[in-house]
Amino acid sequence: MQKIMEPAFEILYLVVGLVISILVLVRAKKRLPFILFGIMGLTLVFGDSFHLVPRILDFWSLGGENIVAYLGIGKLVTSISMTVFYVILYWFFKLRYDKKTPLALDICVYALAAVRIVLCALPMNEWTSADAPYLWGIWRNIPFFVLGALMVVLTFKWAKENGDKRFSLAWLAITLSFAFYAVTVVGAKFVPALGMMMIPKTVCYVWLLCMGLVASYKEPEKTAQDQA
């Protein structure tokens, strides 16, 4: 059953994520925040496809003898794309709320993202190994979780300050996605079934994308008079 249901879910996710991202870009027109949001969605789908497509092929026994290497490289690409995803999300909310954030906050976001990417790129991760070091899976995720926690606080605070009903639960989607991801990172090596927590994690990202899609349709484009 898993060989049918999980690949079906992953294909559905990639298709839905792609469609939502394209629709947001189409609706964005000249609204830079939504252009960024659409690009963010495409980054998410593009990065995840590097891991999910080999995984789907592996489920269907079509991956060949190099599938472990393909899966490992896919995880590396996904790890980097997810980091970029949150940097773009940060900029989306800055533009949406016209936030003049302190330079220190910007540097903190970029530094956490940069450290995460550098840690992911180090050879000690042994991405293409069937038995990659468990501890490196923890180390490289520490700055990522800190970045996630920062985004939870900012999205909650900014949405509340601006009375933004469209993204009032963005903080919850981010929180849950990291919670499910943490369970997988920490426990999947010991209890493989915990890897299934990536499914609700993925649902949380689709939920977040849907928030942007609804906002792009519900919020009219600013006229020249509004922008004056």
Side-chain angles (χ1 to χ4, degrees):
M1 181 63 71
Q2 185 181 2
K3 287 188 175 183
I4 298 175
M5 297 302 296
E6 188 169 335
F9 172 82
E10 291 165 350
I11 292 171
L12 179 64
Y13 156 64
L14 292 175
V15 172
V16 170
L18 179 62
V19 170
I20 291 176
S21 302
I22 292 173
L23 287 176
V24 171
L25 284 173
V26 170
R27 283 290 304 167
K29 297 180 181 178
K30 295 182 179 180
R31 294 178 292 176
L32 182 55
F34 287 111
I35 293 174
L36 275 178
F37 196 92
I39 293 173
M40 180 188 76
L42 291 178
T43 301
L44 176 70
V45 174
F46 177 76
D48 282 354
S49 67
F50 274 82
H51 172 57
L52 294 181
V53 171
R55 186 172 174 82
I56 291 167
L57 294 176
D58 187 36
F59 267 114
W60 293 341
S61 301
L62 299 173
E65 59 183 14
N66 294 321
I67 192 62
V68 172
Y70 295 149
L71 285 168
I73 294 171
K75 288 180 181 178
L76 169 60
V77 175
T78 297
S79 297
I80 294 173
S81 65
M82 282 305 311
T83 308
V84 175
F85 171 91
Y86 278 103
V87 173
I88 299 176
L89 184 63
Y90 173 69
W91 269 97
F92 166 76
F93 282 114
K94 279 188 60 168
L95 291 174
R96 179 172 177 80
Y97 303 132
D98 194 25
K99 283 287 181 181
K100 302 298 188 290
T101 53
L103 178 61
L105 179 59
D106 292 342
I107 292 175
C108 182
V109 170
Y110 303 145
L112 287 169
V115 170
R116 154 77 166 176
I117 291 173
V118 169
L119 287 175
C120 287
L122 293 175
M124 289 80 82
N125 288 282
E126 298 182 25
W127 289 103
T128 57
S129 171
D131 189 26
Y134 173 75
L135 283 179
W136 270 96
I138 302 296
W139 301 139
R140 66 175 178 258
N141 277 296
I142 291 176
F144 188 49
F145 282 119
V146 175
L147 176 60
L150 181 59
M151 287 302 302
V152 169
V153 173
L154 291 176
T155 52
F156 178 82
K157 181 174 182 289
W158 290 350
K160 186 175 181 180
E161 288 176 349
N162 290 272
D164 189 358
K165 294 182 179 179
R166 312 284 185 214
F167 288 94
S168 62
L169 294 178
W171 69 272
L172 181 58
I174 297 171
T175 299
L176 291 175
S177 69
F178 270 96
F180 292 129
Y181 181 57
V183 171
T184 301
V185 170
V186 175
K189 179 177 178 64
F190 308 104
V191 184
L194 292 178
M196 295 296 289
M197 289 296 100
M198 295 298 280
I199 292 179
K201 165 190 168 287
T202 300
V203 172
C204 290
Y205 282 119
V206 174
W207 181 20
L208 186 60
L209 291 180
C210 286
M211 293 180 197
L213 178 63
V214 171
S216 70
Y217 274 85
K218 295 290 185 179
E219 297 170 7
E221 183 181 0
K222 290 184 178 179
T223 63
Q225 183 176 359
D226 295 328
Q227 296 172 342

